[in-house]
Every structure is written in structure tokens, then in C-alpha cells.
């Protein structure tokens, strides 16, 4: 049976919207991790079959196939093509899936799975005009068929987060306690240098910028909720950020031919759709499918990286899956470390791989919620 191996994983530090990376063109941001990936793995870049790059806001600096422009901007061979994909927040996790599937199918041997998003340069919502409440103007992109099925109700991640908190009985205090722990874990991990091996410093920035390890429950309690009567505040939401990621996925033949070192194998791939109004519940069925397909249980998973789009996403998922909180986002998540949309899937996989290597764990799970009510789930096995 064919295998797909992760032989390299690199990311930028994640920068704040006003930080050191805010003015870097998205193609140059992507080029930096692509160049770093090639240098670190030592592979002949001309041998790469394809570059698959996730990006959500494909306008302005991120339009016209940023995967291709990033590769060329890195000074890499013109003979290698690139394609840009959008599965919303899971875009670069999906790029990993597509890369692995290309290798597993036997039609490709070396595929780069990458992601990029400069949310300072290309703000969230740039591809769809939004009103002051972050609702799509003139109903875009909801057409007649959508309205016949779901009506004119608000469709947004913010409403979805509120609905999840209500359904799973999560109080504001629950969410803020989770957020505090995320920031504390992230601060400790940064200070201990846990992320240093996976980061390719850029523009003088060597470590992630977003973490707020000195925050307190008192500070969080003083923030206004995003909507009257709700429980979601900025403190329990992922941070707008800037970043890029890249992984190299290789076949067994490529490992031999290019003298590469497999670090993990892609064990299981799964996808799921869920209620698009709740929007953010997808990691629950996606994880269930991945575990069933893999023959594993949550007890077998040594490290989980689940995207902290909002605190209710993780807390509801933990309740449903019975996951051990100590093994979930052990070094903090997007609430503390930022969520540069299209890049986050690759960033989480880089974190997952390096944490398994640091701790000696065997199995790692990654999952994340996505716009439209979807989710990817990926299980890797460290080698």
C-alpha cells in the first residue's frame, strides 16, 4: 500500500495585524516559507510536482494564483506549477490532504502543501462586501436556493460561536478560563523555545507576536461582548494575524530517490459537513469519522491541534469526544497565537509534528472548523 510522508514542515512566526509582518506582500510571505522548506529539506526544487497553497481572501495581493506567484517570487524553477485553493479556514489543511492524495494515488511523488494570509494587507471580508455587522451586503453570496433552504437569517462565524455556547451550555466564565489557559500555555511554549525549530524568522521577527501571557480573567471580564446579551468577546476569539506555512509531502520512491528523511506518515484523512448556520461544529463529526476510519480512539491520540477559532469550538468538541484537555493544544492555540486564515492549517500541522517529535508521541490529530459548516481531520503517525 502506498504511503505519503511529511519530510519537512516550516512556518513563519505569526505576526499581529500591526506587527513586524504587516507590510510584507502575500506572495513574498509565501515565498519565504517555500524557499525555507526547500533549503531545510535539501530537495531539488525542480523535482516538485505541484505547489498547493491555501488562501481565503483571494483578492489584491492574494489574487491571480498566489501559489504560483509565491513560488516564482522565491526564485524557484518556472517548470513547477502552483494552484491556490479555498476551503475557508481549513484551506492549508486541505492543501495537505490534496498533496497526500496526489502521492497516495501514485500520480505524484513530491508535493508542497502550503498556506498564506496577510490579514493586515488583505483584511478579512475583502472578497465579500460586508456591512457594519459583518453580514454580506445585498445577501451575497447567498442566492435564491440558499434563501429557500435557510431563509434570511444571519450566517456568520460570530453567530455560530454564540449558538454553540448556548447549545453546549458554555458560560462566559467557561470561555474566558479556556482563553486564559491558551495564553498561558502559549507564553510558556514561546519562552521555552518549543516553536523555534519550525519557525523561519522573517523581517527581524523570530517568535510569534500575538500571545498575551500576562492577560487576566479580570481584564477579560471588562471587555464588551460582540453582541448584546452574548458571551463572545475578543478575548475568546482567534486573533487577526499574518503568516505562512509550507510542508513537503513525499512518496516512498521520492524518499529513496532524494535521500529524504520521513518524519511522519499521513495516517488518516477525513472530511465532514455540518450545519452551516452553526458553522463551527464540523470538527466533531470530522474527528469521529477520522477515528472510525483509523481504528484509533481519542485515548490513542498523543497530541491534538484543533483550531481555536472561538473558545466554544474547542470546548464543545472536547465535551463530545471526551478528549483529555491536557493533550489538546498543549502549547496554546489561535486565541493566543493568532489565526492567519489560509495559513493556519499548515501552521497547526507544523506545530503538531514538532510537538510529537519533542515529546516522543506517536499519533497526532489535527482538525479545524471552516466556513459553510465544514471541517478537515488529519491523523499523522510520527516515525
Amino acid at each position: 500500500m502506498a504511503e505519503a510522508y511529511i519530510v519537512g514542515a516550516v512556518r513563519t512566526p505569526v505576526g499581529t495585524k500591526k506587527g513586524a509582518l504587516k507590510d510584507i506582500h502575500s506572495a513574498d510571505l509565501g515565498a519565504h516559507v517555500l524557499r525555507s522548506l526547500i533549503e531545510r529539506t535539501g530537495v531539488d526544487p525542480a523535482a516538485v510536482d505541484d505547489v498547493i497553497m491555501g488562501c481565503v481572501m483571494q483578492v489584491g495581493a492574494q489574487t491571480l494564483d498566489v501559489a504560483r506567484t509565491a513560488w516564482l517570487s522565491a526564485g524557484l524553477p518556472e517548470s513547477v506549477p502552483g494552484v491556490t485553493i479555498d476551503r475557508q479556514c481549513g484551506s492549508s489543511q486541505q492543501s495537505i490532504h490534496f498533496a497526500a492524495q496526489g502521492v497516495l494515488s501514485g500520480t505524484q511523488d513530491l508535493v508542497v502543501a502550503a498556506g498564506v494570509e496577510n490579514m493586515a494587507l488583505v483584511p478579512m471580508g475583502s472578497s465579500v462586501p460586508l456591512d457594519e455587522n459583518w453580514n454580506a451586503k445585498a445577501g451575497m453570496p447567498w442566492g435564491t436556493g440558499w434563501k429557500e433552504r435557510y431563509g434570511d437569517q444571519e450566517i456568520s462565524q460570530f453567530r455560530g460561536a454564540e449558538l454553540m455556547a448556548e447549545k453546549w451550555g458554555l458560560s462566559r466564565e467557561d470561555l474566558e478560563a479556556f482563553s486564559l489557559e491558551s495564553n498561558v500555555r502559549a507564553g510558556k511554549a514561546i519562552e521555552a523555545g518549543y516553536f523555534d525549530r519550525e519557525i523561519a524568522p522573517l523581517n527581524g521577527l523570530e517568535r510569534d507576536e500575538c500571545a498575551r501571557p500576562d492577560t487576566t480573567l479580570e481584564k477579560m471580564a471588562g471587555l464588551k461582548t460582540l453582541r448584546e446579551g452574548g458571551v463572545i468577546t475578543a478575548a475568546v476569539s482567534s486573533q487577526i494575524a499574518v503568516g505562512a506555512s509550507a510542508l513537503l509531502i513525499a512518496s516512498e520512491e521520492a524518499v529513496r530517490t532524494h535521500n529524504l528523511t520521513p518524519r511522519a506518515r499521513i495516517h488518516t484523512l477525513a472530511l465532514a459537513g455540518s450545519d452551516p448556520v452553526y458553522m463551527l461544529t464540523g470538527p466533531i463529526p470530522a474527528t469521529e469519522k477520522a477515528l472510525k476510519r483509523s481504528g484509533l480512539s481519542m485515548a490513542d491520540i498523543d497530541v491534538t491541534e484543533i483550531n481555536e477559532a472561538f473558545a466554544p469550538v474547542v470546548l464543545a468538541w472536547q465535551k463530545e469526544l471526551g478528549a483529555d484537555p491536557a493533550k489538546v493544544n498543549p502549547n496554546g492555540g489561535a486565541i493566543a497565537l493568532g489565526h492567519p486564515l489560509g495559513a493556519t492549517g499548515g501552521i497547526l500541522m507544523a506545530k503538531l509534528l514538532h510537538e510529537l517529535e519533542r515529546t516522543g508521541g506517536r499519533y497526532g490529530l489535527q482538525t479545524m472548523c471552516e466556513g459553510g459548516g465544514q471541517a478537515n481531520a488529519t491523523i499523522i503517525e510520527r516515525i
Side-chain angles (χ1 to χ4, degrees):
M1 185 175 178
E3 297 285 4
Y5 297 106
I6 300 174
V7 297
V10 63
R11 66 177 180 91
T12 64
V14 177
T16 66
K17 62 182 179 180
K18 296 181 179 179
L21 307 183
K22 66 180 178 63
D23 295 321
I24 297 178
H25 192 284
S26 301
D28 295 323
L29 194 63
H32 179 68
V33 289
L34 294 175
R35 192 184 305 112
S36 298
L37 181 69
I38 297 301
E39 291 172 353
R40 292 184 181 202
T41 59
V43 75
D44 175 4
V48 172
D49 291 300
D50 201 2
V51 178
I52 306 172
M53 182 171 280
C55 184
V56 178
M57 296 301 152
Q58 294 182 32
V59 295
Q62 296 175 174
T63 195
L64 295 178
D65 194 359
V66 68
R68 176 66 171 166
T69 53
W71 181 263
L72 296 178
S73 297
L76 297 166
E78 294 177 344
S79 59
V80 177
V83 62
T84 305
I85 63 168
D86 171 16
R87 198 189 284 276
Q88 298 293 276
C89 293
S91 294
S92 55
Q93 186 173 3
Q94 183 61 52
S95 74
I96 295 167
H97 280 216
F98 281 152
Q101 288 163 345
V103 168
L104 291 169
S105 72
T107 60
Q108 296 175 317
D109 287 301
L110 283 171
V111 186
V112 171
V116 68
E117 203 89 32
N118 186 331
M119 299 177 74
L121 199 63
V122 186
M124 185 166 62
S126 294
S127 60
V128 179
L130 301 175
D131 64 21
E132 65 277 6
N133 296 316
W134 288 76
N135 295 318
K137 290 183 178 179
M140 295 176 59
W142 325 121
T144 301
W146 178 280
K147 291 179 180 178
E148 288 175 352
R149 185 168 186 177
Y150 297 106
D152 289 323
Q153 63 181 308
E154 177 189 345
I155 303 293
S156 77
Q157 58 185 321
F158 307 104
R159 182 182 181 215
E162 293 283 2
L163 289 172
M164 286 190 72
E166 181 180 353
K167 180 175 180 177
W168 274 274
L170 301 168
S171 68
R172 177 171 174 172
E173 290 73 23
D174 293 332
L175 307 184
E176 290 173 347
F178 177 84
S179 177
L180 179 64
E181 180 65 16
S182 180
N183 278 284
V184 169
R185 290 183 181 189
K188 289 180 178 178
I190 292 169
E191 187 63 28
Y194 290 171
F195 302 138
D196 291 355
R197 286 179 58 234
E198 67 204 54
I199 287 177
L202 179 60
N203 202 32
L205 186 63
E206 297 183 350
R207 292 185 166 184
D208 297 311
E209 269 188 324
C210 297
R212 300 165 292 200
D214 59 345
T215 192
T216 65
L217 293 176
E218 290 72 26
K219 289 179 181 178
M220 293 183 194
L223 297 176
K224 290 184 178 180
T225 56
L226 299 185
R227 53 192 62 203
E228 188 175 349
V231 294
I232 302 298
T233 69
V236 302
S237 311
S238 56
Q239 294 185 55
I240 292 171
V242 181
S245 56
L247 296 94
L248 184 60
I249 311 298
S251 68
E252 290 181 285
E253 177 63 26
V255 166
R256 289 192 295 269
T257 302
H258 299 280
N259 194 30
L260 300 169
T261 302
R263 298 169 64 180
R265 75 179 183 98
I266 304 294
H267 188 284
T268 305
L269 305 172
L271 297 167
S274 61
D275 187 332
V277 178
Y278 275 79
M279 191 179 293
L280 311 175
T281 59
I284 297 169
T287 299
E288 291 171 340
K289 287 177 71 173
L291 292 174
K292 182 178 181 180
R293 184 170 295 169
S294 68
L296 301 172
S297 70
M298 281 307 302
D300 297 311
I301 302 299
D302 297 297
V303 181
T304 294
E305 286 287 343
I306 173 172
N307 193 38
E308 294 175 1
F310 298 89
V313 175
V314 185
L315 291 174
W317 174 89
Q318 286 183 168
K319 280 191 173 186
E320 293 295 321
L321 273 297
D324 179 356
K327 298 196 292 184
V328 177
N329 298 352
N331 298 318
I335 287 173
L337 293 165
H339 176 23
L341 301 183
T344 299
I347 290 170
L348 293 187
M349 185 58 76
K351 289 172 61 184
L352 179 61
L353 173 64
H354 285 85
E355 182 65 8
L356 287 174
E357 291 177 336
R358 187 185 73 83
T359 61
R362 181 178 179 183
Y363 292 113
L365 165 71
Q366 178 189 340
T367 188
M368 54 201 304
C369 57
E370 301 155 356
Q374 308 174 90
N376 286 58
T378 315
I379 296 175
I380 63 171
E381 181 180 13
R382 183 183 64 85
I383 296 174

